[in-house]
Amino acid sequence: LAKTTQPISMDSYEGQEVNITCSHNNIATNDYITWYQQFPSQGPRFIIQGYKTKVTNEVASLFIPADRKSSTLSLPRVSLSDTAVYYCLVGSGEGYQKVTFGTGTKLQVIP
Amino acid sequence: KAGVTQTPRYLIKTRGQQVTLSCSPISGHRSVSWYQQTPGQGLQFLFEYFSETQRNKGNFPGRFSGRQFSNSRSEMNVSTLELGDSALYLCASSLEGQINQPQHFGDGTRLSIL
């Protein structure tokens, strides 16, 4: 199982770009990298998923270097509503029971 | 499309009782997973059901059990409740439980044991 390491917390001012990096040194060939966002008293919400290079959707970008030993979630121009815990998951196949959410990164957006 | 629905949202029980939590997945999703979330342990995988069969199980005692019905709805049961079972219980569904198919979570059932 690929173990992930993320910063425990980060602070950012509104309007700035935030980059959260996740290390996964023992990622396997078939593993995908997935990021979730969780607000207090709510279930996690899927943000983005990627396998290699760069993936972009309407809310975030995911950068994955060639060696895939790390990945960076980029949130453009954060707002106060982006204050949440962000989890990086690494895994493959069937299924989510084989991955751990870890402690995540608590992002605090400051006005 | 309706999201994942969990009922009830809040529950208070006493030690020794048992409890049943319910989860209705997104229509068409056949995989349902259950998680326990506590401040100390974070999100921990309990078990996953697919086509009415428990396909995978986490490291929890036998007091924690579940089942899935033919319409993919799932229930989770905890017997002989302990104080340490106080937690947010989350249910998540996906098409077939594959990693490249994002999981959709409900907002959970907050279980408090007195």
Side-chain angles (χ1 to χ4, degrees):
Chain A
L1 295 178
K3 186 180 184 310
T4 60
T5 303
Q6 304 173 234
I8 293 175
S9 64
M10 293 180 68
D11 291 338
S12 176
Y13 288 102
E14 266 193 301
Q16 288 190 327
E17 177 184 76
V18 171
N19 295 310
I20 306 174
T21 297
C22 178
S23 297
H24 28 79
N25 291 321
N26 60 338
I27 187 169
T29 304
N30 296 330
D31 284 348
Y32 283 82
I33 300 158
T34 312
W35 286 81
Y36 283 82
Q37 172 193 57
Q38 186 177 27
F39 299 112
S41 298
Q42 292 185 23
R45 307 282 183 225
F46 171 83
I47 302 175
I48 198 166
Q49 183 180 72
Y51 181 77
K52 61 180 179 180
T53 62
K54 176 184 173 183
V55 180
T56 298
N57 62 22
E58 63 277 7
V59 299
S61 295
L62 178 60
F63 298 92
I64 306 170
D67 66 6
R68 304 201 325 127
K69 291 184 185 297
S70 67
S71 58
T72 299
L73 174 71
S74 181
L75 304 172
R77 298 179 297 282
V78 294
S79 64
L80 295 177
S81 63
D82 292 317
T83 294
V85 178
Y86 293 82
Y87 295 97
C88 164
L89 278 69
V90 173
S92 63
E94 166 207 301
Y96 278 92
Q97 67 285 349
K98 294 187 173 67
V99 302
T100 57
F101 275 75
T103 53
T105 298
K106 186 169 184 178
L107 172 66
Q108 181 69 50
V109 179
I110 306 164
Chain B
K1 205 176 210 184
V4 176
T5 304
Q6 291 189 248
T7 55
R9 286 297 313 276
Y10 303 93
L11 207 48
I12 299 175
K13 292 285 186 180
T14 57
R15 281 183 299 173
Q17 287 186 310
Q18 75 166 13
V19 66
T20 299
L21 311 180
S22 180
C23 172
S24 293
I26 289 174
S27 178
H29 285 192
R30 296 166 63 194
S31 169
V32 174
S33 296
W34 287 88
Y35 296 82
Q36 181 195 66
Q37 186 171 33
T38 59
Q41 299 296 320
L43 261 162
Q44 293 187 286
F45 171 79
L46 279 155
F47 31 66
E48 184 225 4
Y49 284 86
F50 181 78
S51 292
E52 301 179 64
T53 302
Q54 187 181 85
R55 188 161 63 174
N56 291 285
K57 190 176 189 304
N59 191 26
F60 277 80
R63 301 185 297 107
F64 292 82
S65 63
R67 59 178 175 168
Q68 186 180 35
F69 302 95
S70 59
N71 61 358
S72 293
R73 191 177 70 85
S74 178
E75 287 182 347
M76 189 192 104
N77 184 275
V78 188
S79 62
T80 320
L81 287 165
E82 301 176 359
L83 292 178
D85 296 332
S86 293
L88 180 66
Y89 289 88
L90 293 160
C91 161
S93 75
S94 68
L95 281 169
E96 296 178 340
Q98 300 294 317
I99 286 292
N100 62 340
Q101 298 165 349
Q103 282 196 315
H104 298 266
F105 285 80
D107 285 335
T109 294
R110 173 76 62 184
L111 176 63
S112 298
I113 311 302
L114 304 179

